[in-house]
Structure formats: structure tokens, C-alpha cells
Amino acid sequence: MTVSSQVDADSENSVFRRDCPSRDIFEHLTGRWSLLVLAALRPGSRRFHQLRDRIEGISEKMLSQTLRTLERDGLVERTVLPVRPPQVSYALTRLGEEAARHLCGLISWIGASAPEIRTARESWDNSR
Amino acid sequence: MTVSSQVDADSENSVFRRDCPSRDIFEHLTGRWSLLVLAALRPGSRRFHQLRDRIEGISEKMLSQTLRTLERDGLVERTVLPVRPPQVSYALTRLGEEAARHLCGLISWIGASAPEIRTARESWDNSR
DNA sequence: CAGAATCCCAGCAGATACTG
DNA sequence: CAGTATCTGCTGGGATTCTG
């Protein structure tokens, strides 16, 4: 399958199709917390409570859930140290680093474009 | 503001902050339908019913809503031709093209990585 | 420390019907 | 043709409590 088939053609796997298999992967990556978890892991592996403290507003439930989804997709690796009390750390896999790179690229673009976007919003809001 | 501040530092505008102003822009871009609308507009301007037909499963309500959000953010431009019956066409702005480029880059990566991700899922699922 | 289990609600999105 | 309006249901996610 060519890469371009994802966004161009009416191929079997076009994103435009209702049953596109890339959809759920995309949703996992762009869900409310995934970007933040991936970005927080970019500098290196982190433990559960470090992630919780770093990511403002995330609940333990959502952190746990997000980490498990990312682990299942092969983007994050979970390591348990056999000590008492248990220490669990998370790190990006190669796949996870690639995903994080794309997402952070998008975030950087948003940061750079935010002023323009805010200006557009104001003029849109003022015109009605 | 430097680009890196978005994803690295604990600056005022870090994505990790609860009130990060980039959050809602990100959510607009990665909402359920935005990617598909932006991708569908990439080859050139399209009319409402063309978009509706191209994007499988979208309702007129969600298409209309998504287009308005994108227009408000300055990513899409709406043009009404003064004829009967009315003809309305939509096109990407420069900002919209940039956003679409990032998103389609991500989708292409997903397409290329999907086999690996699916393999990861299977081994994860089988191990419990 | 690192979660799992449960309850609960707001808001997104679908279906349907209507209109300039 | 290109929408809007209204209703309704579903689920993502928060708060709280409990545990190996």
C-alpha cells in the first residue's frame, strides 16, 4: 500500500471510508490526553506519579487508561521494578517516538500560528 | 515565544498547563471530522454536497458545524455565488493548507506504521 | 506507589424534520 | 442546494473509594 493512498485515492484503505482502519489509531493518538503523555515521555522514561504531576488536570484513571492504550498500540513500554513498594516506569518505543515527533510538530505549528488563528476568530466573531 | 516552549518548558504557554491556549485549536484540528474535511479540500475547492458525498458517514449537521469551526479559525474560506439555487464552495486558506499538511503527514505515518501497530496489539491482547 | 472499580454527568454527535 | 432546529442517546471522562 502506498502512503499517498491514505489521503488521496478512493482505495480500500482511504481515510474517507467509513471503515478505514487508520481511524482508531488516529483517535488514540489525538485523544484528549495521548499527546500530553507522549510529549511528557519524550525527554526520557518517567514514573506514574511524575507523569501525573507533570500533566496538569489529568486524573489517575485517565493517565492509567491512556498509558494502557498507548502500550497496547506499541507506542509506550511499561517496566516494573521488583521492589517494595513497586516502581513502574514508562518509556517511548521507537514507534512512540515517531508518533510523538509528528504530534509535537503539529503542536509547534499551532504555537506559531496561534496569533493568526486568534485574529481570524476575532474578525469572524465581530462580523456577526 | 519560541516553538520549543510549547512542548518543552514549564513556560506560561506549555501544553502541559491546564489553561494552555493551544488546546482548543488542537481539539478543533483533531476532532472527529476536521481531518477528513481538510484532507478532502486539499486537492482544491469543493461544494457542500461534494464534501458530504466524499466523506463517508458524515451528517449534514456535522459537516456544516465542522466547516463553520474551521472557517472561524481561518483555515477554510467560504464563498457564496449569487445564483439560484445558491452555490457555496469551500477552500483551504494558506493556514488551512499548512494544517492539512501536518495532519496528512500524521495520517501517512499511521498508514505506514499500521502493520506494526496491529502486530503490537495482537501480542498485547494475547498476553492476557 | 500504582493502580482498579464504581458511580455519575455534560456534551458530542446522530436522526429527523423543516426552510430560505 | 445548502443549510438550521430540535430531540435524544451514548460515551468520554471526572470524583470518589478501595487494594496488592
Side-chain angles (χ1 to χ4, degrees):
Chain A
M1 169 172 55
T2 64
V3 160
S4 62
S5 76
Q6 290 291 318
V7 285
D8 290 346
D10 287 302
S11 70
E12 286 293 310
N13 289 318
S14 160
V15 272
F16 297 113
R17 301 204 54 143
R18 199 189 305 269
D19 56 355
C20 170
S22 298
R23 287 261 194 119
D24 64 327
I25 299 176
F26 180 77
E27 277 160 28
H28 287 178
L29 284 177
T30 60
R32 178 136 187 227
W33 300 110
S34 301
L35 155 73
L36 298 176
V37 170
L38 291 172
L41 288 174
R42 260 196 126 182
S45 77
R46 292 286 183 274
R47 294 178 53 186
F48 189 83
H49 72 95
Q50 292 179 307
L51 293 171
R52 185 200 53 201
D53 294 346
R54 184 86 211 278
I55 301 169
E56 272 189 21
I58 197 170
S59 66
E60 297 193 345
K61 171 187 166 184
M62 292 316 299
L63 178 55
S64 171
Q65 215 169 87
T66 303
L67 283 168
R68 236 178 309 116
T69 301
L70 294 173
E71 193 194 353
R72 178 168 180 262
D73 282 358
L75 305 179
V76 159
E77 188 183 27
R78 181 175 186 268
T79 309
V80 184
L81 295 185
V83 297
R84 294 282 326 189
Q87 288 193 10
V88 183
S89 69
Y90 297 88
L92 295 182
T93 63
R94 179 186 48 75
L95 220 47
E97 281 179 32
E98 290 175 15
R101 195 156 35 75
H102 280 279
L103 289 170
C104 289
L106 180 58
I107 288 296
S108 295
W109 176 82
I110 291 178
S113 307
E116 237 180 306
I117 292 176
R118 250 171 256 126
T119 301
R121 282 183 188 171
E122 282 169 25
S123 79
W124 197 93
D125 290 346
N126 288 335
S127 72
R128 26 220 105 201
Chain B
M1 169 173 53
T2 64
V3 160
S4 62
S5 76
Q6 290 292 319
V7 285
D8 290 345
D10 289 302
S11 68
E12 286 292 309
N13 291 317
S14 161
V15 273
F16 298 114
R17 301 204 55 142
R18 198 189 306 269
D19 57 355
C20 170
S22 298
R23 288 261 191 118
D24 64 328
I25 299 176
F26 180 77
E27 277 160 28
H28 287 178
L29 283 178
T30 60
R32 179 136 188 229
W33 300 110
S34 302
L35 156 72
L36 298 176
V37 170
L38 291 172
L41 287 175
R42 260 196 125 184
S45 78
R46 294 286 183 271
R47 294 178 53 187
F48 189 85
H49 72 95
Q50 293 180 307
L51 293 171
R52 184 200 54 201
D53 294 346
R54 184 87 208 279
I55 302 168
E56 273 189 20
I58 197 171
S59 66
E60 298 193 344
K61 173 188 162 183
M62 290 315 298
L63 177 54
S64 170
Q65 215 168 87
T66 303
L67 283 168
R68 237 180 306 117
T69 300
L70 294 174
E71 194 195 351
R72 178 169 181 261
D73 282 357
L75 306 179
V76 159
E77 187 182 27
R78 182 175 184 268
T79 308
V80 185
L81 296 185
V83 296
R84 293 284 322 189
Q87 288 193 10
V88 183
S89 69
Y90 297 87
L92 295 182
T93 62
R94 178 187 47 74
L95 221 47
E97 282 179 31
E98 290 175 17
R101 193 155 37 74
H102 280 279
L103 288 170
C104 289
L106 180 58
I107 288 296
S108 296
W109 176 82
I110 290 177
S113 308
E116 235 179 305
I117 292 175
R118 250 171 257 125
T119 301
R121 282 184 190 171
E122 282 168 25
S123 79
W124 198 94
D125 291 346
N126 288 336
S127 71
R128 24 221 107 199

